[in-house]
Amino acid sequence: MTKHRAGVVVVGDTVTVVLAELPTDTSSPVSIISDSNWVLQKGDRGPALAVLHQRCADFFRQNAVDSVVVKASAVPQGSVKLAVLESAEVRGVIIAAASSATKVSCLSKAVISRTYGNRKVDEYLKDDGFWGEQTIGEKLKKSSREAAMLILATR
């Protein structure tokens, strides 16, 4: 039986969401169902985060998503800027909303680099041939490959 899994990456006020169908045969490519970006609404932050929470929870329920993998926070280099903290707020809202609809896990790039294949994540993200072999279905934007990598790494 196939499963629906979503990969989510938060950068600033933008949430990249890739939804894929995983075949039972793990050697078969995953089928990309959707590749989208959600942007936090302008204006007061509280209500904007509430709208994002509702959108996220509704999306995962309506698409019968079995699990969601969110890119985990990384240790910041140097001093922490306001943008890093605001991005963490958005990530927290996404994790909470997804948890209200399905199973959620967080996975860091560092862990993927150590446990998936024999290359670093950034090398996979640049490899067009790899993505041609690993995915079918909807066209996956290059900027969404990191979210899709979360799906591949948790197969």
Side-chain angles (χ1 to χ4, degrees), residues 65-136:
V65 176
D66 297 296
S67 64
V68 174
V69 186
V70 179
K71 180 183 173 192
S73 298
V75 177
Q77 303 297 319
S79 63
V80 177
K81 305 270 192 253
L82 180 61
V84 171
L85 298 174
E86 289 178 342
S87 185
E89 287 176 348
V90 174
R91 186 178 303 104
V93 167
I94 294 298
I95 292 168
S99 294
S100 73
T102 190
K103 294 180 286 190
V104 177
S105 61
C106 295
L107 187 60
S108 71
K109 268 174 75 170
V111 169
I112 296 170
S113 290
R114 285 194 306 270
T115 60
Y116 184 88
N118 57 1
R119 298 189 281 173
K120 298 213 179 274
V121 170
D122 289 336
E123 293 172 15
Y124 285 112
L125 299 180
K126 295 175 188 173
D127 185 349
D128 294 337
F130 172 80
W131 292 100
E133 294 170 4
Q134 297 295 319
T135 62
I136 58 173

Side-chain angles (χ1 to χ4, degrees), residues 29-46:
V30 298
S31 179
I32 303 299
I33 298 170
S34 69
D35 174 0
S36 55
N37 291 320
W38 303 338
V39 179
L40 191 65
Q41 292 179 340
K42 301 291 181 207
D44 290 339
R45 194 157 178 88

